[in-house]
Structure formats: C-alpha cells, structure tokens
Amino acid sequence: MPVPGLGAYDPTNIFARILRGEIPCKKVFENEHALAFHDINPQAPIHVLVIPKSPYISLADFTAQASQAEIAGFFRAVGQVAKELGLDEAGYRTLANMGLHAHQEVPHFHVHIFGGRPLGPLLSRAIG
Ligand code: AMP
C-alpha cells in the first residue's frame, strides 16, 4: 500500500523497528548517519536500502528538516555503500520513492541502490 510522504512520523514502521533492533536485517553498512541493508524482495542482483538513523518520513521531509551534517553524512554513506558493494566500476542506480504517486511503501526515508546487471533505461518497466 502506498503511503503519503508528508505528515506525522509513524514510529511503528518497519524501518523504525529495524533501527531499534526489534526485527533483523541483513546489514551491509552502519555509521552515525545511516544504516544500509539488503532489500527483502530484491529487484536486481544487488538491491540495498540506505536509511537515515533519524526519523524522517520521506525525501521531502528529510531535505526540509534534516541538518546539513545529516544530509551530507547520509548521502556520503549512499556513495560509500555502493563503492563497498563493488558497484562503482560497472555502475548502479539509486531511487527514492516519495509519496503516493511514487508508490512509497515504507514511511521512513530510504534510498534504493540497484546493481549487479545492466538495468536498462530509466523507468522502462515502471510505466505501463
Ligand atoms: P518503497 O516502495 O520505496 O517504500 O520501498 C520499500 C522497500 O522496502 C521494498 O523494496 C521492500 O521490499 C522493502 N522492505 C520491506 N520490508 C523490509 C524488511 N523487513 N527488510 C528489508 N527490506 C524491506
């Protein structure tokens, strides 16, 4: 079910529960700003999610409310995760779904990293 990208943060969302250690994840990276783990339903040979440690609903919420240090730290982490996954040479795709039209499902901001095979043109499979 898609969720709105604005409004009050729901602390019961699945990524909040992962951050609190209430449910497990296949962690690939963690620092003070970000946690990265494998997507439970991978859409590419490598499909990793990077999430900020603090509670932001969406990209809109994160870019409006987070500090400069959080924003810089988070996006540096996205690049570092992709590098550590060995994706820099062949390339990869990042994606952040925001709100209803993008079909955001989890109301905690996250960036998808897809890689491990040629991914085709942008949105080639998403638009019917
Ligand atoms: P989005 O549509 O951008 O909100 O994507 C949410 C992503 O979270 C989907 O790709 C799901 O497969 C993934 N996901 C949902 N629950 C979990 C979980 N417990 N661990 C890892 N990934 C998850």
Side-chain angles (χ1 to χ4, degrees):
M1 275 288 285
V3 295
L6 299 175
Y9 183 82
D10 173 8
T12 68
N13 79 73
I14 195 94
F15 294 169
R17 297 180 64 203
I18 286 174
L19 282 167
R20 289 195 296 268
E22 294 169 6
I23 59 170
C25 69
K26 286 173 63 181
K27 182 165 76 175
V28 297
F29 176 93
E30 182 170 17
N31 71 7
E32 66 176 305
H33 294 296
L35 174 70
F37 51 89
H38 290 280
D39 196 290
I40 205 167
N41 182 23
Q43 304 297 308
I46 296 174
H47 183 176
V48 163
L49 302 171
V50 189
I51 70 174
K53 286 279 185 77
S54 297
Y56 299 104
I57 297 172
S58 65
L59 183 144
D61 187 27
F62 183 68
T63 54
Q65 303 298 335
S67 69
Q68 304 283 23
E70 284 177 293
I71 292 171
F74 176 78
F75 281 103
R76 282 190 196 281
V78 174
Q80 189 174 341
V81 169
K83 180 182 172 70
E84 290 183 8
L85 290 166
L87 295 175
D88 272 2
E89 191 171 334
Y92 56 90
R93 177 170 292 150
T94 61
L95 177 74
N97 292 316
M98 186 300 188
L100 296 170
H101 277 190
H103 213 278
Q104 180 178 353
E105 291 188 341
V106 178
H108 182 110
F109 173 49
H110 49 284
V111 169
H112 298 253
I113 299 174
F114 303 98
R117 66 164 167 78
L119 296 164
L122 181 65
L123 299 182
S124 63
R125 290 191 303 159
I127 297 177

mmCIF file of all heavy atoms in Angstrom, residues 14-15 18 37-41 47 49 97 103-106 110 112, ligand 1:
data_model
loop_
_atom_site.group_PDB
_atom_site.id
_atom_site.type_symbol
_atom_site.label_atom_id
_atom_site.label_comp_id
_atom_site.label_asym_id
_atom_site.label_seq_id
_atom_site.Cartn_x
_atom_site.Cartn_y
_atom_site.Cartn_z
ATOM 1 N N ILE A 14 8.269 -0.315 9.645
ATOM 2 C CA ILE A 14 9.188 -1.463 9.678
ATOM 3 C C ILE A 14 10.653 -1.023 9.781
ATOM 4 O O ILE A 14 11.460 -1.685 10.452
ATOM 5 C CB ILE A 14 8.938 -2.367 8.445
ATOM 6 C CG1 ILE A 14 9.582 -3.733 8.592
ATOM 7 C CG2 ILE A 14 9.383 -1.726 7.165
ATOM 8 C CD1 ILE A 14 8.705 -4.766 9.138
ATOM 9 N N PHE A 15 11.009 0.100 9.151
ATOM 10 C CA PHE A 15 12.411 0.528 9.222
ATOM 11 C C PHE A 15 12.739 1.124 10.600
ATOM 12 O O PHE A 15 13.875 0.979 11.077
ATOM 13 C CB PHE A 15 12.748 1.504 8.093
ATOM 14 C CG PHE A 15 12.678 0.892 6.706
ATOM 15 C CD1 PHE A 15 12.722 1.684 5.580
ATOM 16 C CD2 PHE A 15 12.567 -0.483 6.527
ATOM 17 C CE1 PHE A 15 12.659 1.135 4.307
ATOM 18 C CE2 PHE A 15 12.499 -1.050 5.258
ATOM 19 C CZ PHE A 15 12.541 -0.230 4.140
ATOM 20 N N ILE A 18 13.501 -1.857 12.577
ATOM 21 C CA ILE A 18 14.849 -2.357 12.273
ATOM 22 C C ILE A 18 15.886 -1.493 12.994
ATOM 23 O O ILE A 18 16.826 -2.012 13.611
ATOM 24 C CB ILE A 18 15.081 -2.375 10.743
ATOM 25 C CG1 ILE A 18 14.285 -3.536 10.119
ATOM 26 C CG2 ILE A 18 16.570 -2.492 10.413
ATOM 27 C CD1 ILE A 18 14.313 -3.565 8.600
ATOM 28 N N PHE A 37 21.032 -2.013 4.390
ATOM 29 C CA PHE A 37 20.743 -3.454 4.490
ATOM 30 C C PHE A 37 20.118 -3.929 3.192
ATOM 31 O O PHE A 37 19.573 -3.135 2.409
ATOM 32 C CB PHE A 37 19.828 -3.740 5.688
ATOM 33 C CG PHE A 37 18.584 -2.889 5.763
ATOM 34 C CD1 PHE A 37 17.410 -3.263 5.145
ATOM 35 C CD2 PHE A 37 18.605 -1.676 6.460
ATOM 36 C CE1 PHE A 37 16.278 -2.469 5.213
ATOM 37 C CE2 PHE A 37 17.473 -0.866 6.533
ATOM 38 C CZ PHE A 37 16.304 -1.269 5.909
ATOM 39 N N HIS A 38 20.182 -5.243 2.968
ATOM 40 C CA HIS A 38 19.629 -5.819 1.749
ATOM 41 C C HIS A 38 18.104 -5.735 1.769
ATOM 42 O O HIS A 38 17.467 -6.029 2.796
ATOM 43 C CB HIS A 38 20.072 -7.275 1.595
ATOM 44 C CG HIS A 38 21.524 -7.421 1.273
ATOM 45 N ND1 HIS A 38 22.017 -7.254 -0.008
ATOM 46 C CD2 HIS A 38 22.598 -7.694 2.060
ATOM 47 C CE1 HIS A 38 23.333 -7.421 0.009
ATOM 48 N NE2 HIS A 38 23.711 -7.693 1.238
ATOM 49 N N ASP A 39 17.532 -5.379 0.608
ATOM 50 C CA ASP A 39 16.077 -5.375 0.461
ATOM 51 C C ASP A 39 15.562 -6.808 0.576
ATOM 52 O O ASP A 39 16.153 -7.752 0.054
ATOM 53 C CB ASP A 39 15.678 -4.773 -0.888
ATOM 54 C CG ASP A 39 14.215 -4.399 -0.942
ATOM 55 O OD1 ASP A 39 13.354 -5.305 -0.972
ATOM 56 O OD2 ASP A 39 13.916 -3.191 -0.945
ATOM 57 N N ILE A 40 14.441 -6.957 1.259
ATOM 58 C CA ILE A 40 13.881 -8.289 1.499
ATOM 59 C C ILE A 40 13.299 -8.901 0.220
ATOM 60 O O ILE A 40 13.137 -10.127 0.135
ATOM 61 C CB ILE A 40 12.808 -8.203 2.616
ATOM 62 C CG1 ILE A 40 12.647 -9.529 3.321
ATOM 63 C CG2 ILE A 40 11.489 -7.661 2.090
ATOM 64 C CD1 ILE A 40 11.856 -9.439 4.621
ATOM 65 N N ASN A 41 13.024 -8.058 -0.767
ATOM 66 C CA ASN A 41 12.423 -8.513 -2.030
ATOM 67 C C ASN A 41 13.219 -7.918 -3.193
ATOM 68 O O ASN A 41 12.753 -7.016 -3.893
ATOM 69 C CB ASN A 41 10.952 -8.079 -2.082
ATOM 70 C CG ASN A 41 10.249 -8.561 -3.322
ATOM 71 O OD1 ASN A 41 10.666 -9.537 -3.956
ATOM 72 N ND2 ASN A 41 9.188 -7.872 -3.703
ATOM 73 N N HIS A 47 20.458 -5.288 -4.367
ATOM 74 C CA HIS A 47 19.399 -4.316 -4.066
ATOM 75 C C HIS A 47 19.489 -4.021 -2.573
ATOM 76 O O HIS A 47 19.090 -4.835 -1.730
ATOM 77 C CB HIS A 47 18.018 -4.898 -4.419
ATOM 78 C CG HIS A 47 16.883 -3.941 -4.210
ATOM 79 N ND1 HIS A 47 15.585 -4.264 -4.544
ATOM 80 C CD2 HIS A 47 16.837 -2.678 -3.697
ATOM 81 C CE1 HIS A 47 14.786 -3.238 -4.246
ATOM 82 N NE2 HIS A 47 15.521 -2.277 -3.716
ATOM 83 N N LEU A 49 19.061 -1.059 0.598
ATOM 84 C CA LEU A 49 18.376 0.146 1.053
ATOM 85 C C LEU A 49 19.277 0.893 2.021
ATOM 86 O O LEU A 49 19.897 0.269 2.898
ATOM 87 C CB LEU A 49 17.073 -0.220 1.772
ATOM 88 C CG LEU A 49 16.071 -1.028 0.948
ATOM 89 C CD1 LEU A 49 14.925 -1.503 1.839
ATOM 90 C CD2 LEU A 49 15.536 -0.209 -0.208
ATOM 91 N N ASN A 97 11.607 6.710 -3.616
ATOM 92 C CA ASN A 97 10.185 6.918 -3.853
ATOM 93 C C ASN A 97 9.639 7.854 -2.787
ATOM 94 O O ASN A 97 9.844 7.628 -1.592
ATOM 95 C CB ASN A 97 9.437 5.588 -3.811
ATOM 96 C CG ASN A 97 9.798 4.690 -4.976
ATOM 97 O OD1 ASN A 97 9.880 5.150 -6.103
ATOM 98 N ND2 ASN A 97 10.029 3.405 -4.702
ATOM 99 N N HIS A 103 4.535 5.437 -5.205
ATOM 100 C CA HIS A 103 4.282 4.154 -4.540
ATOM 101 C C HIS A 103 5.277 3.882 -3.416
ATOM 102 O O HIS A 103 5.740 2.745 -3.229
ATOM 103 C CB HIS A 103 4.279 2.998 -5.551
ATOM 104 C CG HIS A 103 3.321 1.892 -5.189
ATOM 105 N ND1 HIS A 103 3.628 0.900 -4.288
ATOM 106 C CD2 HIS A 103 2.060 1.650 -5.592
ATOM 107 C CE1 HIS A 103 2.595 0.091 -4.174
ATOM 108 N NE2 HIS A 103 1.627 0.518 -4.956
ATOM 109 N N GLN A 104 5.620 4.935 -2.656
ATOM 110 C CA GLN A 104 6.410 4.724 -1.442
ATOM 111 C C GLN A 104 5.607 3.826 -0.506
ATOM 112 O O GLN A 104 4.418 4.083 -0.254
ATOM 113 C CB GLN A 104 6.712 6.060 -0.758
ATOM 114 C CG GLN A 104 7.543 5.909 0.514
ATOM 115 C CD GLN A 104 7.884 7.251 1.175
ATOM 116 O OE1 GLN A 104 7.614 8.312 0.619
ATOM 117 N NE2 GLN A 104 8.482 7.180 2.347
ATOM 118 N N GLU A 105 6.236 2.769 -0.007
ATOM 119 C CA GLU A 105 5.508 1.816 0.851
ATOM 120 C C GLU A 105 5.889 1.919 2.317
ATOM 121 O O GLU A 105 5.085 1.584 3.184
ATOM 122 C CB GLU A 105 5.739 0.387 0.348
ATOM 123 C CG GLU A 105 5.062 0.134 -1.003
ATOM 124 C CD GLU A 105 5.112 -1.321 -1.423
ATOM 125 O OE1 GLU A 105 5.954 -2.072 -0.878
ATOM 126 O OE2 GLU A 105 4.315 -1.683 -2.304
ATOM 127 N N VAL A 106 7.137 2.302 2.580
ATOM 128 C CA VAL A 106 7.592 2.380 3.972
ATOM 129 C C VAL A 106 7.813 3.855 4.323
ATOM 130 O O VAL A 106 8.612 4.533 3.659
ATOM 131 C CB VAL A 106 8.889 1.573 4.187
ATOM 132 C CG1 VAL A 106 9.364 1.706 5.639
ATOM 133 C CG2 VAL A 106 8.681 0.109 3.821
ATOM 134 N N HIS A 110 14.182 6.377 2.514
ATOM 135 C CA HIS A 110 15.190 5.394 2.132
ATOM 136 C C HIS A 110 15.589 5.594 0.683
ATOM 137 O O HIS A 110 14.780 6.013 -0.146
ATOM 138 C CB HIS A 110 14.703 3.954 2.347
ATOM 139 C CG HIS A 110 13.353 3.672 1.772
ATOM 140 N ND1 HIS A 110 12.190 4.100 2.378
ATOM 141 C CD2 HIS A 110 12.965 3.019 0.662
ATOM 142 C CE1 HIS A 110 11.142 3.712 1.663
ATOM 143 N NE2 HIS A 110 11.586 3.060 0.607
ATOM 144 N N HIS A 112 17.093 3.416 -2.477
ATOM 145 C CA HIS A 112 17.399 2.093 -3.030
ATOM 146 C C HIS A 112 18.695 2.186 -3.839
ATOM 147 O O HIS A 112 18.886 3.147 -4.597
ATOM 148 C CB HIS A 112 16.308 1.644 -4.005
ATOM 149 C CG HIS A 112 14.942 1.481 -3.426
ATOM 150 N ND1 HIS A 112 14.369 0.246 -3.195
ATOM 151 C CD2 HIS A 112 14.023 2.393 -3.038
ATOM 152 C CE1 HIS A 112 13.142 0.415 -2.713
ATOM 153 N NE2 HIS A 112 12.908 1.705 -2.606
HETATM 154 P P1 AMP B 1 9.420 1.790 -1.263
HETATM 155 O O1 AMP B 1 8.327 1.329 -2.184
HETATM 156 O O2 AMP B 1 10.395 2.713 -1.919
HETATM 157 O O3 AMP B 1 8.855 2.341 0.035
HETATM 158 O O4 AMP B 1 10.270 0.508 -0.933
HETATM 159 C C1 AMP B 1 10.180 -0.219 0.269
HETATM 160 C C2 AMP B 1 11.118 -1.378 0.141
HETATM 161 O O5 AMP B 1 11.303 -1.937 1.430
HETATM 162 C C3 AMP B 1 10.631 -2.508 -0.769
HETATM 163 O O6 AMP B 1 11.568 -2.722 -1.813
HETATM 164 C C4 AMP B 1 10.527 -3.707 0.169
HETATM 165 O O7 AMP B 1 10.885 -4.926 -0.455
HETATM 166 C C5 AMP B 1 11.492 -3.319 1.280
HETATM 167 N N1 AMP B 1 11.243 -3.937 2.579
HETATM 168 C C6 AMP B 1 10.075 -4.015 3.260
HETATM 169 N N2 AMP B 1 10.238 -4.620 4.444
HETATM 170 C C7 AMP B 1 11.555 -4.929 4.533
HETATM 171 C C8 AMP B 1 12.364 -5.570 5.507
HETATM 172 N N3 AMP B 1 11.853 -6.033 6.657
HETATM 173 N N4 AMP B 1 13.689 -5.708 5.253
HETATM 174 C C9 AMP B 1 14.216 -5.273 4.108
HETATM 175 N N5 AMP B 1 13.517 -4.650 3.125
HETATM 176 C C10 AMP B 1 12.201 -4.485 3.341
#
